Structures are given as structure tokens and as C-alpha cells.
């Protein structure tokens, strides 16, 4: 059902705050509503926070001004809730300490290179019950923001995956239920893999050729959040594979891979590093990367089988 009709039909639309009060424990609820509020501000600042800083993050990647702004905004407001035991970030060497019970790991801005081209990008959050770094088995929730044609917040705690959209009103935008109980469609339609095709390990290259042979369509915009968001709705697979030049891949377990694997699992999808479920990986450092395949279970199992036979 088109979004507009959906919003009109459901006159008693659930706002994010109503949903959180009714269904989500207080500590997670406070962190998620803080993320929603901060994302409105971050979206507003994107046009005036272009360009790079002189800094690099712990993965050795150049920091955009927007990376630093988003990190500062999310980290201080999350610690300020009093619900976070710590906030670890792709953009910080060490976690900020707090007095709460939830260990938050975040990629404050995923795909900042897409700002100047106005392509969808996002922010990713994992809510862990154990000191970081730790396995995705300690996740008690995960969320991601998409800065696209709509500003949306997609998350799961211990139940289904929901998406709320920021709807402009008289005052501040209100995050309103857009999609409830999201399940990855069984029939996969789209695929997108990062890195360069010539750099993918050989089983992945063979796998992608079979996808095109089955009529699946390439949908790749260059950001994990923007590309994954399409897989969640159309069915298919997103990957940042093991590369010949980077056998461990690029995306970080704690900040990116595990939170999105948690959401995928709650949408009846699957995740893998090529041999095991992303959620079972045990990172020894905060920024440890992993090869990553996420989406329709049948496709994830296929790529695992091809890698196992290499
Ligand atoms: P970030 O901006 O947080 O570093 O993430 C960028 C990531 C991810 O969004 C995307 O999937 C990947 O970089 C694309 O990498 P390549 O440009 O190497 O393909
Ligand atoms: Mn990222
Ligand atoms: Mn980032």
C-alpha cells in the first residue's frame, strides 16, 4: 500500500513515543527516542556540514565534518539519557562511559561520502547487554536511521521490525508508524555488493553472476544503510565481501554488521561472514571488520555453500 494512503488510512497512526511506551523497556525506549530526536537535527545540518576534517578514525578512514558532528550529537545525547553504560563509536578510539545499563555501539554516519551527491545514507546503532567488544548474541536491540527521501527510523528490540517516518507538523516532526512487522520477502529481487568486482573473492564473483542470470536487479548506491534498506523491503542480498585486498572485508562487526544482522534475523532473514552467522562472531577489538552477507536466507546459504567449496 503506498505510504501516503497508508498514513491516511491509519488515522490513529501510532507515534514513536506511543509505541515505545507500550512495547519497549524504559532504558531502550529512552535511547531510541533520543536517536530519533537527534536524527532530525543531523538531517537539518547535512547541507552545511559538507567537506572533510584533517582527522582519521580508528579504521584509518578520513573523517567528514558530518561524521564528527553526528558522532558528537549522538554520543552526548545518548550518555545524557543516563541509560547508556557506555557509547562506543566508529569515530572514537575509546567508548564514552555512562551510568546506565545498555552498552551502545554506533556508526554515527554511515556513508558520509554520499552527502554531497544527496544519495541515501544512515546511522546504525547496536544495543548490547554486555561490555564492549562482545558478540552480537548480547544484542537486546538494534536501530538504523535512513536519511533519504524520508527521514526514517527502523528498529527491533525483542519483537518485530518496525519503521517510523518523521512527519512534518506544526511543531517538530513526529516519527509516525510507516511499516509494522517487516519481513524480508521470500522471493529475492535485488542485490548490491561493495568493493570492486575484480577484487571480490572468486566464489562471490560466481555467485553474483548466477543472480543476474535469475533476473535479479543490481541496486547499489554505495552506502550500507541505503543499499540494505532496499533488500529488507524487496528481498535479495547485500554484501561487503571478503576482498582479495581485504580478506576481512571493510564493515565493522560491532558498529555495522551485528546490529544490521540482528534486524535481519528479526525480519526472518539471515546473515553470514561467509562461514558463520554474523551474530556469533566474537570481536576482540571495537573496530574489528568482517566480510558480510545479509538478506534472504536462501541466498545467504547459497553464498556460504560456494565459499565452503572454494
Ligand atoms: P562509513 O561511511 O560509515 O565508513 O561507511 C561506508 C561504508 C558503507 O556504507 C558502504 O557499504 C561501504 O563503505 C562502501 O565502501 P566502498 O566505497 O569501499 O565500496
Ligand atoms: Mn559505515
Ligand atoms: Mn561511518
Amino acid at each position: 500500500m503506498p505510504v501516503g494512503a497508508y498514513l491516511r488510512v491509519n488515522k490513529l497512526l501510532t507515534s514513536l513515543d506511543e509505541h515505545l511506551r507500550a512495547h519497549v523497556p524504559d532504558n531502550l525506549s529512552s535511547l531510541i527516542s533520543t536517536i530519533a530526536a537527534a536524527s532530525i537535527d543531523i538531517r537539518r545540518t547535512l547541507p552545511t556540514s559538507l567537506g572533510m576534517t584533517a582527522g582519521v578514525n580508528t579504521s584509518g578512514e578520513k573523517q567528514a565534518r558530518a561524521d564528527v558532528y553526528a558522532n558528537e550529537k549522538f554520543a552526548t545525547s545518548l550518555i545524557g539519557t543516563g541509560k547508556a553504560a557506555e557509547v562506543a563509536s566508529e569515530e572514537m578510539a575509546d567508548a564514552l562511559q555512562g551510568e546506565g545499563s545498555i552498552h551502545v555501539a554506533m556508526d554515527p554516519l554511515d556513508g558520509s561520502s554520499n552527502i554531497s551527491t544527496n544519495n541515501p545514507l544512515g546511522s546504525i546503532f547496536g544495543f548490547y547487554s554486555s561490555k564492549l567488544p562482545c558478540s552480537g548474541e548480547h544484542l537486546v536491540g538494534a536501530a538504523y536511521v535512513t536519511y533519504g527521501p524520508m527521514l526514517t527510523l527502523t528498529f527491533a528490540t525483542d519483537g518485530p521490525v518496525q519503521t517510523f517516518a518523521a512527519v512534518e507538523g506544526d511543531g517538530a516532526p513526529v516519527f509516525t508508524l510507516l511499516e509494522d512487522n517487516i519481513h524480508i520477502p521470500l522471493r529475492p529481487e535485488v542485490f548490491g555488493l561493495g568493493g570492486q568486482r575484480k577484487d571480490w573473492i572468486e566464489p562471490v564473483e560466481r555467485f553474483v553472476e548466477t543472480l543476474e542470470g535469475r533476473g535479479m536487479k543490481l541496486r547499489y548506491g554505495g552506502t550500507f544503510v541505503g543499499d540494505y534498506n532496499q533488500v529488507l523491503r524487496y528481498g535479495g542480498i547485500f554484501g561487503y565481501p571478503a576482498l582479495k585486498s581485504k580478506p576481512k572485508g571493510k564493515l565493522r562487526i560491532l558498529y555495522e554488521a551485528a546490529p544490521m544482522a540482528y534486524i535481519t534475523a528479526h525480519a526472518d532473514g539471515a546473515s553470514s561472514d561467509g562461514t558463520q552467522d554474523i551474530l556469533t562472531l566474537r570481536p576482540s577489538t571495537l573496530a574489528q571488520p568482517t566480510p558480510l552477507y545479509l538478506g534472504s536466507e536462501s541466498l545467504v546459504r547459497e553464498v556460504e555453500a560456494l565459499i565452503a567449496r572454494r
Side-chain angles (χ1 to χ4, degrees), residues 57 261 269:
N57 65 18

Side-chain angles (χ1 to χ4, degrees), residues 57 61 67 90-91 107 109-113 194-195 220 222-225 227 238 240 246 250-252 256:
N57 65 18
E61 297 162 345
D67 286 326
E90 177 186 282
E91 304 303 341
D107 177 358
L109 209 56
D110 171 72
S112 44
S113 57
Y220 189 73
T223 71
F224 182 9
V225 165
D227 294 323
F238 171 85
Y240 200 101
K246 268 190 216 165
K250 172 180 186 180
L251 300 180
R252 287 127 296 216
E256 297 163 297

Side-chain angles (χ1 to χ4, degrees), residues 162-183:
Q162 271 110 5
T163 290
F164 288 76
V167 176
E168 296 293 339
D170 301 339
V174 176
F175 276 87
T176 306
L177 183 63
L178 190 70
E179 289 174 273
D180 196 359
N181 205 0
I182 301 172
H183 294 276

Side-chain angles (χ1 to χ4, degrees), residues 183-190 207 211 214 216 228 231-232 234-238 261 263-278 293-306:
H183 294 276
I184 295 186
L186 284 175
R187 197 168 66 82
E189 285 191 29
V190 300
F207 171 66
L211 299 181
R214 287 176 255 179
M216 285 182 62
Y228 172 78
V231 168
L232 186 62
Y234 290 124
I237 191 163
F238 171 85
I263 287 174
T264 304
H266 284 252
D268 297 333
S271 71
S272 177
D273 68 348
T275 53
Q276 68 184 85
D277 187 318
I278 292 288
Y293 310 92
L294 280 178
S296 300
E297 170 134 33
S298 58
L299 294 179
V300 173
R301 298 294 166 246
E302 238 184 84
V303 74
E304 283 182 328
L306 285 167

Side-chain angles (χ1 to χ4, degrees), residues 67-83:
D67 286 326
V68 174
Y69 181 84
N71 182 65
E72 185 65 27
K73 181 76 188 174
F74 281 127
T76 46
S77 49
L78 288 167
I79 289 287
T81 64
K83 308 290 186 192

